[in-house]
Amino acid sequence: MTQADSLHYLSGFGNELASEAVPGTLPQGRNSPQRVARGLYAELLSGTAFTAARAENRRSWLYRRRPSVLCGAYEPLAQPALKTGARDGVAAPPNPLRWNPIAIPQAPLDFVEGLRTIVVNGDADAQTGVAAHLYLANKSMTDTAFVNADGEMLIVPQQGRLTITTELGRLAVDPGEIALLPRGMAFSVAVDGPSRGYVCENYGAHFRLPELGPIGSNGLANARDFLAPTAAFDDGSRPCRMVRKVGGALWVAQAEASPFDVVAWHGNLVPCKYDTARFMTIGSISFDHPDPSIFTVLTSPSDTPGTANCDFVIFPPRWLVAEDTFRPPWYHRNVMSEFMGLVHGQYDAKPEGFRPGGMSLHNSMVPHGPDAEAFEKASGGTLAPHKLDDTLAFMFESRWRFHPTEFALSCGALDSAYADCWRGLKDNFT
Ligand code: FE2
């Protein structure tokens, strides 16, 4: 049994959770007693303004061996491939863009060193927008912790298990699962070999479950399937390198002790993981298919109702049964901008060319849709019930146009022949 297999989790999304690694260390009936049991310090981590509406308010109380303020002076740390906000993007033509998978380098890289920003929008200082990064890692973060003050991080592993140590405990996250790590909470990532995946760094309002409207009280991602860690703490005897992201820049400092010294905690600002196989997929059982918003796992709202800063959407295995219906996505131009990735299998609108580990970008008002082969097959095929199986694609969809980074355009993975996939679409008018 590996260490990851022995981890225990708490269930729920946005609810009040509590955990103590040493019985009796979690204060009862108050948050900040004059003296915390066993000499621990009380520390509050807030994820929303104190006065945010009750339904959105997020904070957790941490009871730890030493408060996080104990850290040396920070100095700049270069990580030129990590970019932040629209200002770090470069001009790109309004074409659909697609990238082949980028190989994991041989040179040793940990999760933070291996972040490669592909597209950016918004502004971290203004707490709006997102970035989509790839991580290409082959070594664990040893005695190193990362704190991202710019945004929460939604991690979508594509290859390799991640064991993520956070201040609140440990998560083991396999491809097919996702992890959501709160803004400002220290974490460290261990890998079990060459590892690749996607990250949505969300500078805006925290991700939450979408409203379900007429769907009712169940369905899509169910709250109970989100798993938070249980409290666990280091022995505190080893110094730790603290890497902090603030306003797009990385800073590094030496701390006397590990930030993973939280013995007990309670609250609703927690790291969590979710297995996408638990997503209850809804689709048409008559004709036409619904808008892909029906596949929303998590949403980060903007200040315009119904218009997300970012939606995290998945295209999981599902049955297609609709009658007299063109079953792949329609040809479309959307006001929202779409960044896509593929964890495994094939995506039904692009059976060739869009490969696991690859990416695509269809920005606001850029036309796109099924390739010529998918169109032919879907418009001529027999409409028997059909299972799309062994597949997991996803989308980070944003109201803000994405700007590719210089790395994304020059790394050699950009598929210059992408537009050819539509070239075979003929004028069939009679
Ligand atoms: Fe699209």
Side-chain angles (χ1 to χ4, degrees), residues 152-419:
E152 65 181 344
M153 297 182 84
L154 172 69
I155 300 177
V156 184
Q158 189 268 321
Q159 177 186 328
R161 165 182 281 193
L162 304 182
T163 304
I164 306 174
T165 300
T166 76
E167 289 178 82
L168 303 196
R170 221 163 265 137
L171 300 167
V173 189
D174 288 310
E177 297 182 307
I178 59 160
L180 184 60
L181 307 173
R183 182 196 305 261
M185 186 177 286
F187 68 91
S188 181
V189 178
V191 299
D192 66 354
S195 301
R196 177 170 60 193
Y198 309 86
V199 177
C200 178
E201 182 186 9
N202 174 21
Y203 319 128
H206 58 81
F207 276 114
R208 75 276 319 262
L209 292 167
E211 298 298 335
L212 290 179
I215 293 172
S217 57
N218 301 284
L220 308 188
N222 288 307
R224 71 188 282 246
D225 296 322
F226 288 80
L227 301 177
T230 46
F233 62 97
D234 285 354
D235 68 8
S237 61
R238 289 213 305 267
C240 186
R241 189 170 160 264
M242 298 294 300
V243 177
R244 187 171 279 263
K245 181 171 187 281
V246 183
L250 288 192
W251 299 80
V252 64
Q254 207 62 26
E256 274 178 47
S258 159
F260 308 117
D261 67 348
V262 176
V263 180
W265 58 264
H266 80 88
N268 61 2
L269 180 72
V270 301
C272 61
K273 69 166 190 166
Y274 172 73
D275 183 352
T276 61
R278 300 270 175 104
F279 188 80
M280 194 269 259
T281 313
I282 288 175
S284 175
I285 50 171
S286 57
F287 57 86
D288 289 352
H289 59 74
D291 295 329
S293 44
I294 202 76
F295 301 126
T296 303
V297 180
L298 293 166
T299 183
S300 159
S302 75
D303 51 11
T304 304
T307 306
N309 177 59
C310 188
D311 281 334
F312 173 60
V313 173
I314 59 170
F315 302 95
R318 60 200 183 275
W319 279 94
L320 303 180
V321 300
E323 297 180 306
D324 186 21
T325 293
F326 181 75
R327 289 176 174 179
W330 349 258
Y331 294 97
H332 57 286
R333 289 168 293 163
N334 287 344
V335 71
M336 299 286 278
S337 293
E338 305 169 14
F339 174 87
M340 282 191 71
L342 185 62
V343 176
H344 66 88
Q346 283 185 337
Y347 175 60
D348 59 322
K350 304 275 166 42
E352 303 296 331
F354 184 39
R355 307 218 302 274
M359 296 158 287
S360 70
L361 176 64
H362 304 125
N363 255 330
S364 183
M365 292 303 153
V366 170
H368 58 286
D371 63 24
E373 183 194 337
F375 176 83
E376 283 306 318
K377 241 168 116 178
S379 39
T382 310
L383 291 183
H386 172 65
K387 178 107 188 253
L388 286 178
D389 220 344
D390 301 320
T391 180
L392 180 63
F394 73 90
M395 182 157 69
F396 302 147
E397 183 178 277
S398 176
R399 69 174 297 186
W400 317 112
R401 185 173 287 110
F402 287 110
H403 303 262
T405 59
E406 201 176 317
F407 169 82
L409 297 183
S410 63
C411 65
L414 192 65
D415 178 359
S416 56
Y418 181 27

